[in-house]
RNA sequence: GGGUUGGUAGCUCAAUGGUAGAGCAGCGCCCUUUUAAGGCGUUGGUUGAGGGUUCGAGUCCCUCCCAACCCA
């Protein structure tokens, strides 16, 4: 039995399981109605009270006749005590052989140890599930990124900080739904499999429907279906679900990601900016306990604080550029290119003039903007499908919300002219890659009310609100290469 | 796709080119209020994979795999 390479550790646990079975105990037991979660039982602790509680063993302290173990679940931890003289010999043997990782259920009365620790004095216990593999170190947790992402369950068991991030994400998503519902928005579900992957410019994943013998794409955005619903008479709709983009993977990109899109009839981008501002602040207050969002490093030191306090700054794209280089729009395109290169920006030879400016924007404005900033009056080349500004045909009726150095949310005054929309989509499609969604254009011809629309990248929002540095830390099962 | 860094026991980490180690976990013994329990003893390794250089490679070189970060 003196063995401890992995397969030997497993063999030891299998032998324990066989011993359980031999003594008539099912190592994978049945339901165990408890008095609540571990946290609830701990919170309602009262000396002398008899309780039933179930959880995973996270520590085992063997003191001979006195056996102590920690029982844990997401809600908390409670200590269990068992006295070898108070149970049968066989039962005591079974208890002593329990492993860290096993699920058990316990019944007994509450008491305080000499050290004052609330403890359940077990009179009965049941093995609910034998764990056949050793769990990660209880003290150091899981540090290996591959284990964290490929075997998230181990990360969740071992790392309380990870658990906290995902609990926060769940609450953020719930509060978004609550907020929008309270504002009169209806949540809808539109196709994830689309014959034309529209609503954004991105490479789609392709699939095939056998019975219909039809190629389909996983959606890159729900936009064109949500707009059909505006045509159909929904005044305020939203969808909060997955989009899929067949593009690179990085600290900020996962092939499937969660997006909120919301549309409000008779509104515009400015009204939608107000809505987003109110929503994000409302969520932060409920989930983060305030509007100052602290990001900490691995040592727990605060490395940056994002101030969400309203009103959020709004500034025109061109003014932000002038804030970096005052004479930017007075000099020639060639001079702009030279200035950008001189500033250390990586400008390719084929970059258009507006792309040079955008590059400057990304490096010198976006990446440095931590507190919320609505960028308005974006150049029309950057957002080809948006409505042009009435007073300035070079800019569009769009905001881009930047927080934490990233684009978090765009907002539009949606284009509802079917003739202009058709022309733009045809220009955008160019070749075969982006087919035009004729069914969408058909719907527009029946009349879509002017509307404000927004998108919010939920993963990035959660990163901002939790201080996660990688999108992989806010997605339970991020995509990795096959091992 | 390019660059940089990394991959050593179940977990967290050491190891000038010279006998692969520690803590925790595991296993055995002792212990009736411990709590990162403690004491004594003890097992466990194809050092990501494959080549090469060398008397000798975890360490140096090459190819490949996986990951993290930066860039595109």
């Amino acid at each position: 039995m003196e063995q401890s390479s992995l397969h030997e550790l497993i063999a030891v646990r299998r032998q324990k399981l066989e011993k359980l079975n031999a003594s008539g105990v099912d190592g994978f037991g049945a339901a165990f109605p408890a008095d609540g979660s571990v946290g609830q039982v701990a919170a309602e602790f009262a000396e002398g009270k008899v309780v039933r509680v179930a959880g995973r063993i996270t520590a085992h302290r063997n003191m001979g006749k006195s056996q102590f173990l920690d029982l844990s679940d997401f809600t908390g931890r409670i200590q269990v005590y068992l006295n070898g003289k108070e149970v049968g010999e066989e039962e005591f043997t079974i208890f002593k052989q329990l492993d860290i990782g096993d699920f058990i259920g316990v019944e007994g009365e509450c008491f305080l140890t000499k050290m004052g620790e609330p403890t359940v004095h077990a009179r009965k216990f049941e093995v609910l599930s034998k764990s056949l593999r050793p769990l990660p170190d209880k003290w150091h947790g899981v540090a290996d990124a591959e284990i964290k992402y490929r075997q998230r369950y181990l990360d969740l068991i071992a790392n309380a900080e990870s658990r906290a991030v995902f609990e926060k994400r769940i609450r953020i998503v719930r509060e978004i739904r609550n907020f929008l519902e309270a504002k009169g928005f209806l949540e809808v579900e539109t196709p994830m499999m689309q014959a034309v992957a529209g609503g954004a410019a991105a490479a789609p994943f392709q699939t095939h429907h056998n019975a219909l013998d039809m190629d389909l794409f996983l959606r890159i955005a729900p936009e064109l279906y949500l707009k059909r619903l505006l045509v159909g008479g929904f005044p305020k709709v939203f969808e909060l679900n997955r989009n899929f983009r067949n593009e690179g993977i990085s600290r900020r990109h996962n092939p499937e990601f969660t997006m909120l899109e919301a549309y409000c009839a008779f509104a515009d981008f400015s009204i939608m900016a107000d809505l987003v501002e109110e929503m994000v602040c409302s969520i932060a207050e409920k989930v983060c306990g305030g509007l100052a969002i602290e990001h900490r490093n691995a040592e727990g030191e605060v490395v940056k604080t994002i101030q969400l306090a309203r009103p959020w700054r709004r500034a025109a794209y061109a003014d932000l550029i002038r804030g970096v280089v005052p004479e930017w729009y007075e000099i020639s395109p060639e001079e702009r290119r030279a200035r950008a290169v001189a500033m250390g920006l990586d400008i390719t030879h084929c970059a258009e003039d507006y792309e040079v400016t955008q590059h400057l924007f990304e490096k010198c404005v976006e990446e440095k903007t931590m507190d919320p900033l609505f960028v308005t009056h974006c150049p029309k080349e950057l957002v080809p499908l948006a409505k042009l500004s009435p007073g300035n045909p070079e800019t569009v009726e769009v905001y881009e919300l930047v927080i934490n150095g990233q684009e978090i949310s765009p907002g539009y005054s949606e284009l509802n002219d079917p003739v202009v929309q058709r022309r733009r989509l045809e220009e955008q499609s160019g070749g075969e890659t982006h087919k035009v969604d004729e069914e969408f254009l058909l719907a527009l011809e029946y009349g879509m009310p002017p509307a404000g629309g927004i998108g919010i990248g939920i993963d990035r929002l959660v990163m901002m609100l939790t201080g996660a540095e990688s999108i992989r830390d806010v997605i339970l099962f991020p995509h990795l290469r096959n091992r």
Side-chain angles (χ1 to χ4, degrees), chain A residues 411-454:
Chain A
Y412 289 66
S413 298
E414 300 294 347
L415 190 56
N416 62 342
D417 178 334
V419 177
V420 175
Q421 180 74 82
R422 170 177 291 280
R423 194 165 64 232
R424 300 278 188 81
L425 286 180
E426 286 174 349
E427 283 166 8
Q428 189 198 33
S429 74
E432 288 260 324
T433 44
H434 294 90
K435 285 176 286 185
V436 174
D437 188 340
E438 290 293 340
E439 298 290 329
F440 165 64
L441 290 172
L442 174 67
L444 272 197
E445 289 177 9
Y446 285 92
M448 185 184 95
I454 56 162

Side-chain angles (χ1 to χ4, degrees), chain A residues 87-152:
Chain A
V87 295
E89 194 173 320
E90 191 176 25
E91 214 179 347
F92 189 52
T93 303
I94 291 173
F95 194 90
K96 280 196 289 190
Q97 293 211 339
L98 290 171
D99 282 308
I100 289 173
D102 293 352
F103 281 96
I104 65 166
V106 162
E107 182 178 316
E109 72 268 13
C110 298
F111 78 107
L112 290 172
T113 65
K114 281 178 184 168
M115 297 303 290
E117 169 93 11
T119 305
V120 176
H121 188 150
R123 302 296 179 176
K124 296 184 210 161
F125 68 92
E126 286 178 29
V127 180
L128 303 179
S129 184
K130 184 72 195 160
S131 169
L132 295 177
R133 284 177 182 265
L135 253 45
D137 189 283
K138 62 177 175 184
W139 193 245
H140 300 98
V142 175
D144 184 327
E146 285 206 63
I147 297 178
K148 278 170 67 79
Y149 300 147
R150 291 189 200 273
Q151 296 179 276
R152 180 68 84 182

Side-chain angles (χ1 to χ4, degrees), chain A residues 142-203:
Chain A
V142 175
D144 184 327
E146 285 206 63
I147 297 178
K148 278 170 67 79
Y149 300 147
R150 291 189 200 273
Q151 296 179 276
R152 180 68 84 182
Y153 46 91
L154 295 179
D155 180 41
L156 293 170
I157 290 168
N159 298 333
E161 325 81 66
S162 267
R163 222 148 55 212
V165 166
F166 289 108
E167 284 174 330
K168 213 171 207 179
R169 177 178 179 130
I170 289 164
R171 290 166 62 203
I172 288 166
V173 169
R174 187 174 60 218
E175 290 304 336
I176 290 173
R177 290 199 158 99
N178 288 344
F179 178 89
L180 289 172
E181 192 178 341
K183 292 283 183 189
F185 285 80
L186 298 173
E187 181 171 11
V188 295
E189 294 166 275
T190 67
M192 298 242 178
M193 297 193 294
Q194 304 179 348
V196 179

Side-chain angles (χ1 to χ4, degrees), chain A residues 322 325-333 335-336:
Chain A
R322 284 191 198 96
V325 181
E327 66 278 21
W328 186 260
Y329 290 101
E330 276 75 62
I331 60 183
S332 71
E335 287 171 316
R336 281 196 277 272

